[in-house]
Amino acid sequence: MSGYDEAYRRSTRHPEEFWAEAARGIDWDVAPATVLGQDGRWFPDGRLNTCHNALDRHVAAGRGGQLALIHDSPVTGGGRVLSYAELLDEVARTAGMLRDLGVGAGDTVVIYMPMVPEAVIAMLACARLGAVHSVVFGGFAARELAVRVDHARPKVVLSASCGIEPSRVVAYKPLLDAALEQAAHRPERCVILRRPQCPAELTEGRDLDWAATVRDAAPAPCVSVAATDPLYVLYTSGTTGSPKGVLRDNGGHAVALHWSMAHVYGAAPGEVFWAASDVGWVVGHSYIVYAPLLAGCTTVLYEGKPVGTPDPGAYWRVVATYGVRTLFTAPTAIRAIKKEDPSGEFAKKWDLSGLRHLFLAGERLDPDTYHWAADLLGVPVVDHWWQTETGWPIAANCVGIETLPARPGSPTKPVPGWDVHVLDAAGNDCPPGVEGSVTVKLPLPPGALPTLYRDEARFRASYLERHPGHYLTGDGGHFDADGYLYVMGRIDDVINVAGHRLSTGSMEEVLAGHPDVAECAVIGVADEVKGQVPVGFAVLKSGCDRDPEELERELVALVRERIGPVAAFRRAVVVARLPKTRSGKILRGTMRDIADDRPYATPSTIEDPTTLPEIAEAMKRA
Ligand code: COA
Ligand code: AMP
């Protein structure tokens, strides 16, 4: 039996033995006597500190001089590097600052920051105190930040004066002020990192200057927490306008992420590991911050884009300059590079001989992009599939165990720990080649979400009730006859825009709030670079006579203002009617098929079949 098959079998047949062994990769204050609790939670009687495992233990083991963090920032023309000892010092003092502000174990801290080292430092400082961080992505609008502040109820907010996009400086402070005006919850303090690119007026009595406050703080030691205590909450899009607060615990997370570095990514301590994502997304949490540091690697924090900062060779420059061994990004980034540099001229300018693997995730990897990247780089390109909820890959080619032959279009096979099934509507396993709902048989492995923050009922309703005994991923797909998994796309109203997960439901809520809109639908349509982009269809209130282009501009501006630029909402079409079932449900699935030029059958439940050609016509206009 091969390495992969053996590891997979062991992980599903004897999960406790498997994960007890993996848990030895972590330093425990109290080693867990129980591996899997009755309630499905891992290491329930273990105690540890995640920050200790990410920093202190490496310094104690003599790795203090090794680089821990490389900040590369083409948008500012700057950046800096921090060794493990330097990062530990900054994290301990930032934790001291938070402690002085009254933050203790179990308190929440919202982090709304660009891609600067202080964002990573802030996360680790919270972990050091046993406080729960909630990072909000910078591309969201004030209202989205307000919703998260109200749900997380932070004692302190950590933010910066600005983020820097290639085309503009994004002043964060006015966004933060607007969010806190809209939010019902009042944090006691906001600590603002003032960047030279943009000043920020501090609000008297509420705001503190980051540099000055940290400078005056004494370092704080690690606080021992239960393995099941929360490490962070990360909000992600569900099918409604209210985001889901995915909760991550300390023990299972540390064990799983540490294990994944060696076994999924094949990365060893001392190597340079680069996840080109943002700390506001789960990829950033897991593979910019926690996993590389838990494993003793050097992580790269890149403040730039794959193209335009300044050219499509930006990624290759970073790989060559720092000796990146493992690069992890989203297919959309590769498509953006390919579009600007189809023959890979920019890659040829750099010595990429140190690169060993390119890992891609965040959306389906189309075979064209797979082949282009594999031919260009001459290293294995590994598609792997996961979600905010799971925290680490569910399916991948586990190159640290055994590299299986790749099949373009498939993220290979389930990773050890994930008992993946493809189920039909009745809950039976689909035969190979037949598409169904992709689920994971319980228990989920360590590192996966134990619940939704302050919403156990929504957790059960969203993930556990559809197929009892299984976790519903929300993705559709199939296995082939050899056990390779194919993940084809969401079966709900979540879309994936440039690797960013967004809810069409939340955009519909915004459009429906416009005074002239009677009803609306937002669907994701295929896009050459971003994978999908949202397009809105609006029916006007009766008697309302509006110039469609003017209304489109208003709706686009409204989504940008309420959700943020990251939604990339640029098209809204006025239509006379929407296709609906006789019970009044909008046929979004059929609309998606029409938009993507897929063959579709007219549903038997449709109220009026003539609405379909009408909507097809409107889509051509969009
Ligand atoms: N703060 C403020 N604004 C932000 C932002 C941030 N952190 N991130 C993105 N935005 C804004 C952008 O400026 C842009 O605004 P615009 O409408 O004024 O141009 C908008 O949000 C959309 O941004 P983006 O999704 O980055 O699209 P783009 O067209 O600027 O670039 C790509 C396209 C493909 C190059 C880019 O999406 C990309 O690098 N994707 C990789 C995605 C990724 O790493 N995903 C993580 C999962 S692994
Ligand atoms: P997020 O929670 O933002 O990481 O988004 C998770 C969703 O992205 C998944 O549910 C999938 O729909 C999609 N996704 C991520 N990686 C892949 C992949 N390798 N193949 C197909 N879909 C993917």
Side-chain angles (χ1 to χ4, degrees):
M1 189 176 287
S2 72
Y4 164 78
D5 287 340
E6 170 61 22
Y8 188 72
R9 261 167 57 98
R10 237 166 32 85
S11 76
T12 47
R13 294 206 180 159
H14 308 288
E16 297 193 46
E17 189 186 299
F18 186 90
W19 290 113
E21 196 180 307
R24 290 194 206 113
I26 289 301
D27 275 8
W28 297 88
D29 300 327
V30 178
T34 307
V35 179
L36 179 60
Q38 302 255 319
D39 54 359
R41 303 193 72 166
W42 293 91
F43 315 114
D45 53 6
R47 295 190 73 83
L48 77 163
N49 181 278
T50 297
C51 180
H52 165 86
N53 276 281
L55 299 177
D56 304 57
R57 67 165 172 164
H58 300 311
V59 174
R63 250 178 218 291
Q66 181 200 308
L67 286 190
L69 181 72
I70 297 170
H71 177 224
D72 184 280
S73 174
V75 291
T76 60
R80 67 176 169 135
V81 298
L82 287 106
S83 68
Y84 267 94
E86 288 164 340
L87 185 58
L88 171 57
D89 176 60
E90 289 217 22
V91 167
R93 282 187 296 111
T94 306
M97 167 186 82
L98 288 171
R99 182 196 51 195
D100 295 347
L101 296 177
V103 174
D107 288 330
T108 49
V109 173
V110 161
I111 300 174
Y112 182 58
M113 297 192 67
M115 290 285 283
V116 290
E118 287 78 0
V120 178
I121 290 166
M123 292 164 77
L124 291 163
C126 290
R128 195 168 186 83
L129 296 177
V132 184
H133 62 69
S134 186
V135 182
V136 179
F137 177 63
F140 280 124
R143 198 183 74 135
E144 291 288 320
L145 177 57
V147 167
R148 287 157 174 78
V149 164
D150 271 340
H151 194 267
R153 292 181 230 145
K155 202 163 211 174
V156 169
V157 174
L158 300 174
S159 190
S161 57
C162 62
I164 296 148
E165 286 294 291
S167 57
R168 64 193 193 285
V169 171
V170 182
Y172 277 28
K173 185 61 184 7
L175 291 170
L176 174 65
D177 290 343
L180 294 183
E181 250 166 52
Q182 291 171 38
H185 174 79
R186 292 270 160 272
E188 286 170 23
R189 290 287 185 182
C190 297
V191 186
I192 311 293
L193 177 75
R194 294 206 259 192
R195 304 188 76 186
Q197 293 78 10
C198 166
E201 286 295 313
L202 300 185
T203 306
E204 188 69 36
R206 186 195 73 187
D207 296 347
L208 296 167
D209 175 71
W210 185 301
T213 319
V214 170
R215 198 176 43 232
D216 295 342
C222 290
V223 173
S224 185
V225 297
T228 49
D229 281 343
L231 172 68
Y232 70 75
V233 181
L234 179 57
Y235 290 91
T236 189
S237 300
T239 51
T240 68
S242 121
K244 293 168 166 171
V246 168
L247 191 78
R248 196 82 58 209
D249 67 12
N250 275 275
H253 174 255
V255 170
L257 259 54
H258 180 263
W259 183 89
S260 76
M261 285 299 283
H263 297 90
V264 178
Y265 297 96
E271 291 182 1
V272 182
F273 188 96
W274 177 26
S277 178
D278 189 287
V279 288
W281 305 113
V282 69
V283 174
H285 280 60
S286 294
Y287 292 103
I288 295 175
V289 184
Y290 287 109
L293 298 176
L294 286 165
C297 291
T298 300
T299 189
V300 180
L301 182 74
Y302 174 70
E303 191 181 18
K305 301 267 174 174
V307 293
T309 57
D311 58 42
Y315 275 22
W316 318 134
R317 172 187 64 76
V318 173
V319 168
T321 306
Y322 307 112
V324 171
R325 295 279 278 162
T326 309
L327 169 59
F328 175 173
T329 188
T332 187
I334 301 296
R335 287 196 299 268
I337 295 170
K338 177 179 161 214
K339 194 171 176 209
E340 291 203 5
D341 181 23
S343 56
E345 294 307 315
F346 282 86
K348 291 178 196 144
K349 295 183 188 168
W350 298 97
D351 175 7
L352 304 179
S353 57
L355 186 68
R356 196 179 36 197
H357 292 111
L358 170 65
F359 281 86
L360 296 171
E363 56 175 322
R364 182 164 187 267
L365 173 58
D366 52 287
D368 280 356
T369 306
Y370 168 86
H371 287 297
W372 186 82
D375 293 347
L376 179 75
L377 299 172
V379 297
V381 172
V382 184
D383 178 12
H384 62 325
W385 167 60
W386 52 299
Q387 329 181 288
T388 305
E389 289 85 344
T390 67
W392 62 287
I394 315 167
N397 202 341
C398 294
V399 300
I401 300 174
E402 179 194 1
T403 304
L404 300 174
R407 294 194 181 169
S410 163
T412 320
K413 297 191 180 183
V415 171
W418 300 94
D419 191 356
V420 177
H421 290 253
V422 173
L423 302 182
D424 64 17
N428 301 312
D429 279 283
C430 294
V434 174
E435 190 132 334
S437 166
V438 189
T439 68
V440 182
K441 192 158 176 249
L442 301 177
L444 293 176
L449 83 172
T451 187
L452 290 176
Y453 191 49
R454 300 200 177 114
D455 211 345
E456 174 72 13
R458 190 175 180 195
F459 169 66
R460 299 199 155 272
S462 305
Y463 303 108
L464 303 183
E465 281 170 9
R466 179 67 190 84
H467 295 292
H470 289 249
Y471 161 82
L472 185 75
T473 66
D475 282 310
H478 62 270
F479 278 111
D480 71 10
D482 301 318
Y484 280 65
L485 181 68
Y486 290 74
V487 180
M488 306 309 288
R490 299 288 304 191
I491 50 177
D492 55 16
D493 294 327
V494 167
I495 59 171
N496 210 304
V497 180
H500 308 320
R501 174 167 157 184
L502 298 163
S503 153
T504 53
S506 71
M507 293 184 220
E508 287 178 3
E509 282 179 25
V510 174
L511 300 195
H514 188 285
D516 295 336
V517 172
E519 59 179 351
C520 62
V522 174
I523 58 168
V525 303
D527 179 83
E528 194 196 340
V529 171
K530 296 194 173 192
Q532 280 186 304
V533 287
V535 176
F537 297 87
V539 178
L540 296 184
K541 285 186 178 155
S542 70
C544 179
D545 183 21
R546 291 290 315 267
D547 170 33
E549 284 179 16
E550 192 187 47
L551 183 75
E552 179 177 50
R553 279 196 294 278
E554 287 173 21
L555 294 176
V556 166
L558 208 56
V559 172
R560 195 176 171 94
E561 179 203 315
R562 299 279 168 84
I563 296 178
V566 67
F569 183 85
R570 299 214 167 90
R571 299 307 326 256
V573 192
V574 174
V575 290
R577 303 179 297 169
L578 289 167
K580 286 187 193 167
T581 61
R582 281 188 286 277
S583 61
K585 207 166 166 283
I586 296 169
L587 289 161
R588 293 182 178 79
T590 315
M591 288 176 70
R592 280 195 293 267
D593 289 338
I594 297 175
D596 291 346
D597 268 340
R598 280 192 296 267
Y600 65 91
T602 303
S604 58
T605 52
I606 196 164
E607 186 187 32
D608 179 354
T610 62
T611 49
L612 291 180
E614 274 176 31
I615 210 82
E617 194 49 42
M619 281 177 189
K620 280 196 201 123
R621 279 185 274 133

